[in-house]
Amino acid sequence: MDTNPKNPPIDRIDGRQKVTGAAKYFAEFDLPNMAYCVIVGSEIARGTMARIDTKKAAGAPGVLGVFTHENMPPIPGWDAPVGGQADGPPPKPKTEETYRILSSPKILFDGQPIAMVVADTFERATYAASLIKAIYTRQPSKTDLRKYLANGVMPGGAQGADYSRGKPDAYQSAPVQLEANYTIPIEVHNPMELHGILAHWTGEKQLMIYAKTQGVNATQQAMAQAFKIDPKNIQVHTEFMGGGFGMGLRTWPQETAVVAIARKIGRPVKLMVHRSQMFTLVGHRPYTVQTIQMGADTNGKLVGLAHAATAETASYEDFTEATVNMTKFMYACPNVSTRYRIVRLDRGVPIWMRGPGEATGAFALESAMDEMAHKLGLDPIEFRLRNYTETDPEHNRPYSSKHLKEAYQKGAEAIGWSNRKSQPGSSREGDWLIGYGMSTGTFNAFRWQANARALLKADGSLTVQSAVTDIGPGTGTALTMIAHNVLGVPIDRIKVEYGDTSLPNAPTQGGSAIVSAVGSAVFDVCTAIKKELIELAVQSAGPLAGQKPEALTLADGLLSVETDPSKKVAVAELMRSHNRMVIDKSGESKGGPNLQNYSMYSFSVHFVQVRVNPLTGVVRVSKAVSVADSGRIVSPKTAASQMIGGVTGGIGMALTEEAVIDHRFGRFVNNNLADYHVAVHADVPAIETIFIDKPDPYINPMGAKGMGEIALIGFAGAVANAVFNATGQRVRDLPITPDKLLRTA
Amino acid sequence: MNPFRYTRVTTPKAAIAAVIQEGGTYFLAGGTNLIDLVKREVILPEKLVDITKLPLATIEKTATGIRIGALAKNSAVADHALVQKQFPLLAMALNAGASAQLRNMATVGGNMMQRTRCSYFYDPSMPCNKRSPVQSGPDKGQPNGPAGCGAIGGFNRMHAIFGGSGKCIAVHPSDMCVALAALDARVNVAGPKGERTIPFTDFHRLPGDRPQNDNTLLPGELILSVDLPTNAFAEHSHYLKVRDRASYAFALVSVGVGLKMNENTIQEARLAMGGVAHKPWRLTEVEQFLQGQPATEVTFRQAATLAMKGAKGYGENDFKLTLAPNALIDALKTATKTA
Ligand SMILES: Cc1cc2nc3c(=O)[nH]c(=O)nc-3n(C[C@H](O)[C@H](O)[C@H](O)COP(=O)(O)OP(=O)(O)OC[C@H]3O[C@@H](n4cnc5c(N)ncnc54)[C@H](O)[C@@H]3O)c2cc1C
Ligand code: SF4
């Protein structure tokens, strides 16, 4: 972790609450008279329910209601898509089918809710749910993307459009060529905290919701739409979230259903799903097959590059992500084309998972870059440098900031890149093969619109407010640092309130955009307070009377002349003398024309050392260094944690994570945490994080860009490249489990 | 989970009596496997008999070796000084299993009796002959979900390469049992007809036509303890577990090795594999072959080839046909190097 004297690494402000259990997650809220809901999922992936027998369940002890398509209470706004995603409601499905929870006996995917059982305790609801028996008429299900690649359709929207510059097939005439396919399996977010909601109708048109959502305002909007009530009458609370990774980026149908059921039975209702339902009801990283075609000249310059991706989606909704985007702007290549298709399968709809499509795409592109470097006999870093670009070749405009060369160099030094042997399979330690690999990652740096409020009190304390949810990255800590840097209020006198719709509107926590968006809003309102303090000081009698506002600085509760610190006034005193017990500023913040004039991206470089046992095919990541070029680092300690978390996810993506479907049934066979392998401590070495920490001059007043996604994007490629360096075996299908190395041996 | 009754007993006699009174009764030890199975409705018990208060948790030195009580916790056994000194293979195998939390709950008897982790077995809506035997009856189990074997022709990456049948290709998932099989353990049990001792290698069985029976324990029988004879393998022991992540995953293949060496010559060998069969897979023939052989890579390769006699892949687990012999070589290398 780098440190910058201006930004000392402070502890996570909510750390103590979290480790002592004082932090309250949605499921820990209990309300008087509360009932519990349990979902029964379909046991087939495609067909219809011929019959569903709910009699026994309805008669079981404590049961308050059993809801199926036969008696589901209506949801007035149901005809509109139930949206509320990070970037607005989803496009209206162009698909032939629609999915409305508990609205028909038709089954469109494995685990689709067929009944929701409500009882006075969780245990009784669970028991009653087990008594529900459905008889199905099964139809053949399509779940294997590899079998239906030919059914790919071009999705609507900018994401779906084919892209090309220069000559599309130029790679074919290059002296050195490469064509390779890469596969990413289904990955499931699997945060520790299970998905759910607690819905409480506090009045006929008044609703209180405790949810597991990455965006309280988005959930508020979705519920307002679904129940046709004024959003002002809906309060959504998500102060803490036990991991999201993208699964909370939309309001899921079962959440809306719980709200409807709560109204019907007239009691607060809590839903918390079963771990196996985390695989079917809250999205996943879609199975994606990619092809890279690459041509280079003998000097190591890229001549042509084509990237095609085909991903799964549901039969009832088109999900898209930016899988092929990186290829368009990462390297200085004159001839580039990309193509993105989706295949509608009998599957629940995917959702963004950390790093989303960019992580999928980076695995293919950065593996191919490594393969090509090897063909050319070039060091992988050197090959990237030969194709380095200072301007964005996709949009023909400058990057707002890019210090990737420095990142390559710093990362290479830290991992000991000079120890890498260019000949694969030539480095050993005892019986283990050693390899080094690297990869680049990049993700859009956004600046969304956000609101904030700040209240400075004469007692010297500051309160900062925004509705944003902190899903774990340390948003609250970052906002504290931003406020501290503007107003000089000591860290322990700053209180950040967040995660509730009663606070100023904020975007959904996602897209690595929150420090930029909400941070800017906090910066702005704190700057407004500072301006007012300075005005008070210079316009009235006192030590600073008549000073130029620009000449003053604010630190540790003192306003003083920068060049003559003896001229000063305590902020508290200043406020009291003007009888201002509080200065209260709120406002909206958004980016200006620079957002159009510059291409804004965060960049990362990942370096790994792996050890591979040639006999057993076991791969261990033995060293990891990740370098982030994401502008000014606002909160170094939580930023480092953010990187460590991303890399841990990257190790899972590279080596262990895969949700497996038995395509004969169209159903998952490893839908639990014993069989779906997230990386455990023993898989994760000490991770070194390095920050370039140079402000981006254009994106926002802090110069900070996001880093949640780049922590993961590219990491899996670095591991695959290191495995190749260690063994000479190229694994193009994630995860790299022992069987794959033994199979290609 | 279906409603069931629960009783706690304090003597083995009472435990046995409680079980034979009615079908569908199960002993409850650490509960780390049984409770999962009940929650998933793989098992629909009538009654659970809590045996955790039985005086069967001691680990003691005997004239011929060591006796480990059936209720000794996995962690207590692994941490026991005598076990670490004389039976390091057992300690290594135990520590390779599950997680620290689970090992603190899991008992020796429960570990032996744990069911397979085959995904189809665990999901009552999927076909499985082990969960839903074709021939059912009071002693043979009741059908629960569709019959058939989901794993044959399905997701069988974790499954057996030895001794499978057309009815079932599941593996026994235990690490501890691999070490106990290699080290010639004997199992002391008590039942309605009195006490008896079962050689460990006869305790678990192959699936054949009765995949519902994991082992040869008779209805109502209670495991009392496990005896391990003193051996000369402590210096050259190794447990190698190959798995999908570094900890907290079941074995793809595991190998337990105990050797008695004289300089570079193997005088005596004990070998067993896990993750390859319906029971811990003892390799007696390979042990005999190794006797008197020099500890060289050539020897290990010959041993590995011999070990694979009769191995058969089922598609997704074909890689085990390479992994198993390789793991054996790797484990022998490590065991012979230990000083
Ligand atoms: C997530 C997870 C990961 C795991 N990973 C591993 C692993 O990597 N390696 C490994 O080896 N194991 C692993 N295990 C399994 C673990 O070792 C077993 O669950 C444990 O050993 C069972 O012991 P228990 O005392 O909890 O048994 P229980 O769950 O109480 O009982 C299991 C069975 O044994 C029967 N039983 C118990 N005691 C007796 C007795 N004295 N006589 C007769 N019958 C008896 C019970 O009736 C029941 O049928 C894992 C388990 C879990 C949940
Ligand atoms: S392998 Fe055995 S346990 Fe698994 S599905 Fe087949 S019969 Fe059932």
Side-chain angles (χ1 to χ4, degrees):
Chain A
M1 179 174 70
D2 284 354
T3 57
N4 175 326
K6 238 195 121 195
N7 283 356
I10 64 161
D11 290 345
R12 188 177 287 266
I13 56 162
D14 49 4
R16 193 181 165 79
Q17 273 170 290
K18 283 186 171 170
V19 299
T20 56
K24 242 176 150 181
Y25 295 80
F26 93 87
E28 294 175 301
F29 287 90
D30 285 326
L31 300 174
N33 207 27
M34 186 172 75
Y36 296 81
C37 178
V38 167
I39 295 177
V40 183
S42 157
E43 292 177 350
I44 63 165
R46 163 66 64 178
T48 34
M49 255 187 308
R51 218 163 63 81
I52 179 159
D53 184 357
T54 58
K55 245 200 224 99
K56 267 196 190 160
V63 171
L64 302 164
V66 178
F67 299 94
T68 68
H69 63 280
E70 286 161 0
N71 64 341
M72 179 64 193
I75 293 166
W78 208 287
D79 288 336
V82 179
Q85 295 177 345
D87 46 1
K92 265 221 186 313
K94 279 183 292 301
T95 47
E96 278 155 35
E97 281 180 313
T98 48
Y99 163 54
R100 295 285 176 258
I101 187 167
L102 300 185
S103 66
S104 110
K106 240 178 132 179
I107 302 296
L108 307 180
F109 61 96
D110 171 29
Q112 177 183 323
I114 58 168
M116 293 172 82
V117 182
V118 185
D120 56 357
T121 69
F122 175 69
E123 291 73 13
R124 285 171 144 182
T126 303
Y127 174 61
S130 77
L131 300 176
I132 290 188
K133 295 285 169 262
I135 310 229
Y136 303 94
T137 314
R138 234 185 99 177
Q139 284 160 16
S141 54
K142 291 188 212 158
T143 52
D144 188 354
L145 178 68
R146 290 165 307 176
K147 264 203 195 150
Y148 301 100
L149 288 173
N151 298 1
V153 295
M154 190 191 228
Q159 208 108 278
D162 288 353
Y163 168 84
S164 84
R165 67 169 177 264
K167 263 181 38 211
D169 290 335
Y171 72 92
Q172 286 177 352
S173 54
V176 187
Q177 290 173 30
L178 172 86
E179 173 164 346
N181 296 322
Y182 303 87
T183 314
I184 304 263
I186 297 160
E187 275 183 69
V188 180
H189 309 72
N190 266 327
M192 282 306 284
E193 183 194 23
L194 296 163
H195 156 79
I197 189 167
L198 165 56
H200 182 202
W201 288 88
T202 48
E204 201 195 319
K205 288 187 168 248
Q206 196 129 28
L207 189 53
M208 176 72 214
I209 288 173
Y210 303 86
K212 178 174 173 137
T213 175
Q214 292 177 231
V216 288
N217 291 124
T219 298
Q220 180 189 40
Q221 288 301 328
M223 293 307 176
Q225 227 181 75
F227 294 96
K228 301 208 157 151
I229 50 178
D230 189 339
K232 280 208 256 354
N233 294 332
I234 304 177
Q235 186 180 351
V236 181
H237 182 85
T238 311
E239 187 177 359
F240 295 101
M241 195 161 166
F245 310 117
M247 53 130 305
L249 282 174
R250 69 182 292 177
T251 303
W252 295 99
Q254 58 272 10
E255 297 179 71
T256 315
V258 167
V259 175
I261 287 170
R263 174 142 81 176
K264 175 84 188 171
I265 68 164
R267 291 169 70 154
V269 176
K270 186 192 280 181
L271 165 78
M272 193 168 82
V273 304
H274 189 264
R275 177 60 62 183
S276 62
Q277 293 171 332
M278 297 294 283
F279 286 72
T280 51
L281 296 181
V282 287
H284 56 274
R285 191 193 296 287
Y287 198 108
T288 306
V289 176
Q290 302 176 75
T291 305
I292 299 269
Q293 295 162 315
M294 193 182 268
D297 66 21
T298 48
N299 293 323
K301 283 261 184 207
L302 285 170
V303 173
L305 180 54
H307 186 173
T310 306
E312 55 156 345
T313 189
S315 66
Y316 56 86
E317 189 179 321
D318 288 352
F319 171 79
T320 62
E321 53 184 357
T323 309
V324 295
N325 281 21
M326 178 177 178
T327 301
K328 300 175 191 169
F329 65 83
M330 193 64 219
Y331 296 108
C333 177
N335 306 299
V336 174
S337 61
T338 68
R339 201 182 123 93
Y340 177 71
R341 297 290 180 270
I342 50 175
V343 178
R344 295 175 188 141
L345 297 177
D346 299 323
R347 299 265 297 117
V349 71
I351 188 87
W352 300 287
M353 176 162 161
R354 195 171 189 180
E358 286 83 346
T360 303
F363 167 64
L365 177 64
E366 291 294 288
S367 291
M369 287 297 283
D370 196 74
E371 297 198 43
M372 183 54 100
H374 182 71
K375 280 194 178 212
L376 293 164
L378 282 177
D379 181 282
I381 301 177
E382 174 59 25
F383 179 47
R384 284 170 175 83
L385 291 177
R386 288 194 192 177
N387 295 286
Y388 197 82
T389 175
E390 296 286 2
T391 54
D392 172 3
E394 181 190 0
H395 301 100
N396 282 316
R397 63 186 180 196
Y399 292 111
S400 55
S401 72
K402 182 179 180 186
H403 305 283
L404 196 47
K405 280 187 180 165
E406 190 182 334
Y408 285 137
Q409 184 221 326
K410 286 200 161 154
E413 261 165 39
I415 195 88
W417 189 250
S418 54
N419 296 323
R420 175 184 182 270
K421 302 221 167 64
S422 55
Q423 178 66 37
S426 57
S427 183
R428 259 177 196 273
E429 249 177 60
D431 288 335
W432 292 74
L433 295 164
I434 310 291
Y436 291 85
M438 54 82 57
S439 160
T440 318
T442 181
F443 193 76
N444 282 83
F446 295 109
R447 167 94 188 259
W448 296 332
Q449 178 184 315
N451 293 64
R453 178 179 179 198
L455 301 100
L456 181 69
K457 296 208 185 99
D459 66 2
S461 70
L462 177 74
T463 303
V464 173
Q465 297 179 329
S466 169
V468 68
T469 301
D470 185 347
I471 61 173
T475 304
T477 312
L479 299 182
T480 302
M481 282 304 294
I482 290 169
H484 166 75
N485 280 338
V486 176
L487 287 174
V489 176
I491 303 279
D492 59 0
R493 302 302 315 274
I494 301 175
K495 185 166 176 235
V496 181
E497 294 173 350
Y498 51 89
D500 195 290
T501 49
S502 62
L503 304 167
N505 273 18
T508 295
Q509 172 83 261
S512 301
I514 291 308
V515 163
S516 177
V518 182
S520 296
V522 169
F523 185 96
D524 287 357
V525 290
C526 289
T527 304
I529 292 179
K530 182 176 171 180
K531 206 171 144 228
E532 184 152 335
L533 287 173
I534 290 177
E535 274 166 15
L536 286 179
V538 299
Q539 286 168 11
S540 56
L544 300 180
Q547 293 284 347
K548 283 207 173 84
E550 318 79 79
L552 301 186
T553 68
L554 182 55
D556 296 327
L558 286 179
L559 200 52
S560 61
V561 177
E562 189 152 22
T563 51
D564 180 4
S566 69
K567 290 196 177 122
K568 59 179 189 227
V569 61
V571 169
E573 201 187 303
L574 180 71
M575 288 176 70
R576 255 179 265 130
S577 64
H578 286 83
N579 213 9
R580 299 290 303 271
M581 295 326 283
V582 57
I583 301 180
D584 179 352
K585 297 281 176 196
S586 45
E588 178 187 290
S589 175
K590 60 177 180 214
N594 281 339
L595 297 187
Q596 273 70 53
N597 299 339
Y598 294 90
S599 286
M600 298 184 173
Y601 293 99
S602 286
F603 297 95
S604 61
V605 190
H606 302 284
F607 285 89
V608 298
Q609 182 201 54
V610 299
R611 294 155 52 82
V612 183
N613 187 309
L615 280 173
T616 59
V618 167
V619 178
R620 296 272 178 263
V621 175
S622 40
K623 270 190 196 175
V625 175
S626 290
V627 191
D629 169 23
S630 57
R632 158 75 82 233
I633 301 302
V634 163
S635 168
K637 202 166 180 178
T638 51
S641 297
Q642 169 87 308
M643 288 296 276
I644 290 167
V647 167
T648 303
I651 292 175
M653 181 178 186
L655 297 181
T656 60
E657 290 188 48
E658 174 174 17
V660 182
I661 291 179
D662 182 332
H663 295 295
R664 297 171 305 172
F665 305 99
R667 308 188 57 207
F668 284 113
V669 288
N670 64 340
N671 49 1
N672 60 74
L673 285 183
D675 295 324
Y676 179 91
H677 297 138
V678 298
V680 296
H681 282 291
D683 295 298
V684 183
I687 296 160
E688 187 174 346
T689 57
I690 297 175
F691 301 124
I692 299 298
D693 201 9
K694 289 191 178 147
D696 183 306
Y698 304 110
I699 186 162
N700 56 41
M702 296 84 62
K705 297 192 279 196
M707 49 183 313
E709 323 297 327
I710 54 162
L712 186 138
I713 296 169
F715 193 85
V719 174
N721 297 341
V723 168
F724 176 76
N725 181 243
T727 64
Q729 288 167 260
R730 176 63 63 179
V731 181
R732 301 187 183 88
D733 304 327
L734 294 182
I736 308 171
T737 42
D739 49 318
K740 296 202 178 134
L741 287 171
L742 296 175
R743 233 181 269 147
T744 54
Chain B
M1 193 185 306
N2 63 316
F4 55 82
R5 273 165 301 121
Y6 167 93
T7 67
R8 178 181 275 172
V9 291
T10 48
T11 63
K13 226 179 171 164
I16 295 158
V19 164
I20 50 173
Q21 277 160 16
E22 61 186 311
T25 300
Y26 295 82
F27 296 131
L28 174 66
T32 60
N33 189 216
L34 183 61
I35 299 300
D36 271 1
L37 291 164
V38 171
K39 284 204 281 195
R40 299 286 299 264
E41 301 194 331
V42 178
I43 291 178
L44 303 162
E46 297 290 330
K47 186 163 90 187
L48 297 189
V49 178
D50 184 337
I51 58 170
T52 53
K53 295 286 178 272
L54 301 189
L56 296 175
T58 46
I59 304 168
E60 58 194 350
K61 200 171 157 57
T62 61
T64 54
I66 189 171
R67 171 165 291 183
I68 302 169
L71 286 168
K73 301 289 188 194
N74 284 190
S75 51
V77 179
D79 293 345
H80 198 274
L82 208 58
V83 173
Q84 293 194 338
K85 189 151 169 275
Q86 289 189 19
F87 308 96
L89 179 61
L90 177 59
M92 281 188 262
L94 279 164
N95 283 328
S99 64
Q101 295 89 332
L102 283 159
R103 294 194 295 270
N104 283 339
M105 288 299 290
T107 65
V108 167
N111 192 317
M112 290 166 61
M113 296 294 289
Q114 65 173 299
R115 311 299 308 268
T116 183
R117 308 303 290 201
C118 173
S119 352
Y120 303 92
F121 174 71
Y122 262 82
D123 183 345
S125 64
M126 291 283 203
C128 172
N129 290 325
K130 187 183 274 299
R131 191 194 57 240
S132 216
V134 186
Q135 325 154 288
S136 51
D139 298 350
K140 301 190 182 85
Q142 295 297 326
N144 177 10
C149 174
I152 297 176
F155 177 60
N156 55 37
R157 186 168 173 273
M158 302 298 291
H159 286 68
I161 51 172
F162 292 111
S165 74
K167 292 267 192 309
C168 178
I169 56 169
V171 297
H172 192 262
S174 168
D175 292 297
M176 177 193 82
C177 293
V178 176
L180 292 178
L183 297 175
D184 302 308
R186 296 172 71 81
V187 187
N188 302 310
V189 307
K193 293 190 186 132
E195 297 194 8
R196 64 179 181 127
T197 298
I198 311 168
F200 201 89
T201 44
D202 293 339
F203 184 83
H204 296 97
R205 58 182 294 283
L206 293 178
D209 280 341
R210 285 184 295 118
Q212 64 270 34
N213 296 129
D214 295 348
N215 52 52
T216 55
L217 209 61
L218 299 170
E221 278 186 323
L222 171 76
I223 303 170
L224 300 173
S225 62
V226 173
D227 285 332
L228 272 175
T230 312
N231 65 48
F233 309 128
E235 257 182 68
H236 296 279
S237 290
H238 188 58
Y239 187 74
L240 172 69
K241 182 175 181 183
V242 184
R243 44 186 152 176
D244 282 325
R245 61 182 167 190
S247 172
Y248 196 41
F250 289 94
L252 294 167
V253 166
S254 69
V255 182
V257 186
L259 301 173
K260 187 179 164 206
M261 305 272 297
N262 182 7
E263 303 279 308
N264 200 35
T265 304
I266 299 169
Q267 288 187 308
E268 221 185 316
R270 292 290 183 278
L271 287 177
M273 283 205 255
V276 294
H278 200 255
K279 60 187 286 189
W281 197 244
R282 177 83 181 256
L283 296 163
T284 333
E285 211 179 318
V286 185
E287 291 169 6
Q288 278 156 14
F289 162 78
L290 283 173
Q291 200 172 327
Q293 295 287 330
T296 63
E297 179 130 8
V298 176
T299 304
F300 302 156
R301 288 194 179 277
Q302 287 170 336
T305 308
L306 191 60
M308 294 307 289
K309 249 178 36 188
K312 177 174 182 276
Y314 291 85
E316 296 199 348
N317 70 349
D318 287 351
F319 74 95
K320 287 191 182 181
L321 301 175
T322 312
L323 177 58
N326 284 2
L328 186 63
I329 294 167
D330 202 22
L332 283 168
K333 273 185 170 178
T334 312
T336 49
K337 259 182 277 178
T338 12

